[in-house]
Amino acid sequence: MQQYMEFVSNHTILSIVWVVLLGAVLFSFFKEKTANYKIVMPNEATRLMNHENAVVVDIRSRDEFRQGHITDAIHILPDNIKGERFGELEKYKSSPIIVVCKTGQTAQDNASALRKAGFENVNVLKDGLGSWNQENLPLVRKGKK
């Protein structure tokens, strides 16, 4: 114990950084475990799409969506989800929903908003479209208009 105290007093900034990082990891872990949505890997997302008719909701910008998106994805901006303007998504309240963003971070807040709005089975693609690309899964590309 004496060695720990000596280390902390000699390396205060390093000790503070370590505590902050530990706190961030614990926060992230508990947030994921208590979330009202499920985080899925690309292989689970494809299973949901192929066998349970899951609906992919892409919340990236229009330009990012045009550069490449998952087949049959519905493009809805985060502002529309937070404003509860779901449009064509409304008819899929009981279907599995997979929320996709660029990195998987923005999708989490939007997935929570969908759950609060009554969508029953909401999922988030882990690490967003980056993980989809990493698995070399197909994208639909649209040219700029």
Side-chain angles (χ1 to χ4, degrees):
M1 188 66 171
Q2 179 69 23
Q3 292 174 343
Y4 292 121
M5 298 305 283
E6 183 178 334
F7 179 84
V8 169
S9 66
N10 290 335
H11 305 284
T12 307
I13 293 176
L14 182 62
S15 299
I16 291 170
V17 169
W18 185 86
V19 168
V20 168
L21 287 174
L22 178 64
V25 168
L26 290 174
F27 175 77
S28 175
F29 175 77
F30 288 117
K31 182 179 178 186
E32 184 176 323
K33 293 298 179 190
T34 60
N36 56 3
Y37 53 83
K38 182 179 175 192
I39 295 180
V40 295
M41 299 299 290
N43 60 346
E44 176 68 7
T46 56
R47 187 194 68 73
L48 286 169
M49 290 185 301
N50 292 333
H51 298 291
E52 297 183 32
N53 297 321
V55 177
V56 177
V57 176
D58 194 321
I59 61 168
R60 296 173 302 140
S61 72
R62 181 173 295 158
D63 288 339
E64 289 173 326
F65 184 78
R66 286 183 181 157
Q67 288 174 3
H69 60 271
I70 298 171
T71 304
D72 296 328
I74 297 173
H75 184 239
I76 298 179
L77 295 174
D79 290 341
N80 291 341
I81 291 174
K82 291 176 182 161
E84 295 190 10
R85 296 182 305 271
F86 306 116
E88 67 180 292
L89 192 60
E90 194 73 45
K91 62 186 173 189
Y92 299 110
K93 279 204 170 190
S94 60
S95 299
I97 304 286
I98 303 169
V99 183
V100 178
C101 67
K102 190 173 184 177
T103 63
Q105 298 302 313
T106 309
Q108 294 176 9
D109 291 337
N110 289 276
S112 288
L114 287 171
R115 284 288 294 155
K116 288 177 186 169
F119 288 84
E120 297 172 12
N121 185 355
V122 181
N123 304 276
V124 171
L125 181 63
K126 183 171 177 63
D127 298 328
L129 207 60
S131 67
W132 187 266
N133 288 330
Q134 197 170 27
E135 296 290 325
N136 293 318
L137 293 167
L139 292 176
V140 175
R141 300 184 192 282
K142 291 184 180 180
K144 293 185 178 179
K145 294 181 180 177

